[in-house]
Amino acid sequence: MNKPPLTILLAGPRGFCAGVDRAIRIVELALKKYGPPVYVRHEIVHNRYVVEGLEKQGAIFVEELEEIPENVPAVFSAHGVPKSVFAEAEERGMFYLDATCPLVTKVHVDAHRQERDGSETILIGHAGHPEVIGTMGQMTKRPMLLVENKEQAETLKVGDPDNLAFVTQTTLSVDDTAEIVRVLQRRFPNIQAPRKEDICYATTNRQAAVKALASRCDALIVIGAPNSSNSNRLAEVGKNQGCEKSILIERAADLDFTWLDGVQKLGLTAGASAPEILVQELIAACEEKFSVTVEDVNVTDEDVEFSLPRALTS
Ligand code: SF4
């Protein structure tokens, strides 16, 4: 039987970013150097496939430090942790490796500087996301104000409108964040921006790639975890760019192929914590049902790499 044709527009860049790659390498190298078990506080990155792969090698994932026994190495996830977690680890004399992405650390440093300069800091981000919990937990004098959307930016109450600064989560929608910032700047013209954009290169590039292909697609699939912020944003960007049929799935087995009925051009991308093997798995699953042509839509090349903690390289 002849298979119907399907063109897959494959977004580039997609998938792993330098921060995720570094975090996974830290756990793998810790397992190699110290032997299992290595405890990891929170999912090292938001991807079940990655987490299960590391579990097979001897990593144990927990949510709180108190679940980690004495005398075993601990790793803190790529999303960053509140200062209180470092303090507790020091107090307990734990040996820990910090896998916080350097671009998240940059946001923490900005927030410190703003606090030191006496500003009240606003964080644009999503309540409850581990990165937001970690960033809000950097403050030592007064809590950050969290703004999740334009509506909240319109009604936010601040201490002194002339003594404000903001930072953002690294994995937000570039366009939605620009709108929120515009509202804040209109209401508080003297608000200080971060020195350099907080939304990271990987988030920006993956969204740009989706924008480049969304209007040409009948449907868009984003491979990523339901709790992955940047993956959710990619599906939203697809919809906002005119590809209403945009979904986020963890892997090929989650796709009901009737969803592709009538689709001739399918956009395909992956969030920054989703490995390429899951993209290829989806393409292979499509090839069983369609005569597939893959077309690369690459908007830029990435060559970012982050160094590893010295404890693992010496
Ligand atoms: S998405 Fe951006 S901030 Fe998050 S780990 Fe990757 S590079 Fe770092």
Side-chain angles (χ1 to χ4, degrees):
M1 194 179 78
N2 277 350
K3 295 177 187 173
L6 179 70
T7 302
I8 296 181
L9 302 181
L10 192 53
R14 64 180 175 277
F16 275 8
C17 60
V20 161
D21 194 52
R22 173 178 180 269
I24 295 168
R25 295 247 303 138
I26 287 174
V27 179
E28 287 175 341
L29 288 172
L31 283 162
K32 204 165 157 197
K33 182 160 182 177
Y34 307 110
V38 166
Y39 276 71
V40 185
R41 185 187 177 277
H42 194 67
E43 287 186 334
I44 186 74
V45 298
H46 285 158
N47 191 276
R48 207 184 328 151
Y49 180 90
V50 171
V51 166
E52 284 172 2
L54 292 170
E55 279 174 341
K56 282 187 195 131
Q57 296 175 55
I60 296 176
F61 292 85
V62 296
E63 282 308 310
E64 297 303 335
L65 281 196
E66 62 198 27
E67 298 169 64
I68 303 177
E70 304 294 323
N71 303 319
V72 292
V75 179
F76 299 155
S77 82
H79 312 96
V81 293
K83 268 184 178 301
S84 57
V85 170
F86 289 114
E88 190 187 333
E90 296 288 343
E91 201 176 305
R92 284 186 52 194
M94 293 174 75
F95 171 63
Y96 64 84
L97 296 156
D98 183 12
T100 303
C101 175
L103 299 182
V104 174
T105 302
K106 177 238 165 234
V107 177
H108 294 178
V109 170
D110 274 340
H112 276 304
R113 181 179 50 80
Q114 294 170 355
E115 185 175 56
R116 188 201 59 211
D117 295 348
S119 303
E120 184 170 23
T121 295
I122 297 167
L123 171 63
I124 303 171
H126 297 292
H129 188 279
E131 182 185 325
V132 165
I133 294 168
T135 300
M136 294 189 86
Q138 300 304 308
M139 297 288 93
T140 54
K141 295 186 187 127
R142 61 175 162 187
M144 277 181 185
L145 300 169
L146 180 65
V147 168
E148 294 190 83
N149 51 43
K150 266 195 313 183
E151 291 69 32
Q152 289 180 2
E154 287 287 4
T155 54
L156 182 72
K157 289 192 172 49
V158 300
D160 176 359
D162 291 321
N163 196 16
L164 286 176
F166 74 88
V167 290
T168 83
Q169 196 177 333
T170 57
T171 51
L172 298 178
S173 153
V174 172
D175 297 337
D176 292 353
T177 306
E179 283 189 29
I180 295 169
V181 169
R182 269 197 292 278
V183 172
L184 292 174
Q185 287 174 330
R186 172 173 50 73
R187 290 191 63 210
F188 313 115
N190 292 327
I191 194 168
Q192 300 293 311
R195 282 188 194 157
K196 202 165 162 254
E197 177 62 66
D198 286 338
I199 296 178
C200 75
Y201 81 95
T203 299
T204 307
N205 291 345
R206 280 149 192 71
Q207 289 178 19
V210 167
K211 284 182 185 173
L213 57 74
S215 62
R216 296 172 54 200
C217 297
D218 306 314
L220 171 75
I221 292 179
V222 180
I223 303 282
N227 57 345
S228 158
S229 172
N230 79 87
S231 304
N232 277 288
R233 302 296 81 77
L234 290 174
E236 283 171 14
V237 168
K239 285 186 184 154
N240 292 341
Q241 295 296 310
C243 186
E244 266 305 311
K245 209 171 151 87
S246 296
I247 52 163
L248 171 66
I249 58 170
E250 288 200 80
R251 56 191 303 178
D254 301 327
L255 182 65
D256 172 359
F257 274 86
T258 60
W259 187 80
L260 286 178
D261 285 352
V263 171
Q264 293 183 334
K265 285 202 172 178
L266 173 67
L268 179 58
T269 187
S273 44
E276 179 63 14
I277 193 169
L278 300 184
V279 174
Q280 296 305 323
E281 179 186 75
L282 194 274
I283 294 173
C286 288
E287 281 168 340
E288 284 178 18
K289 302 186 186 300
F290 298 92
S291 170
V292 171
T293 307
V294 176
E295 185 186 320
D296 286 308
V297 180
N298 194 45
V299 294
T300 187
D301 294 324
E302 292 178 344
D303 57 2
V304 179
E305 269 183 50
F306 296 129
S307 57
L308 292 160
R310 209 168 299 153
L312 293 174
T313 53
S314 54

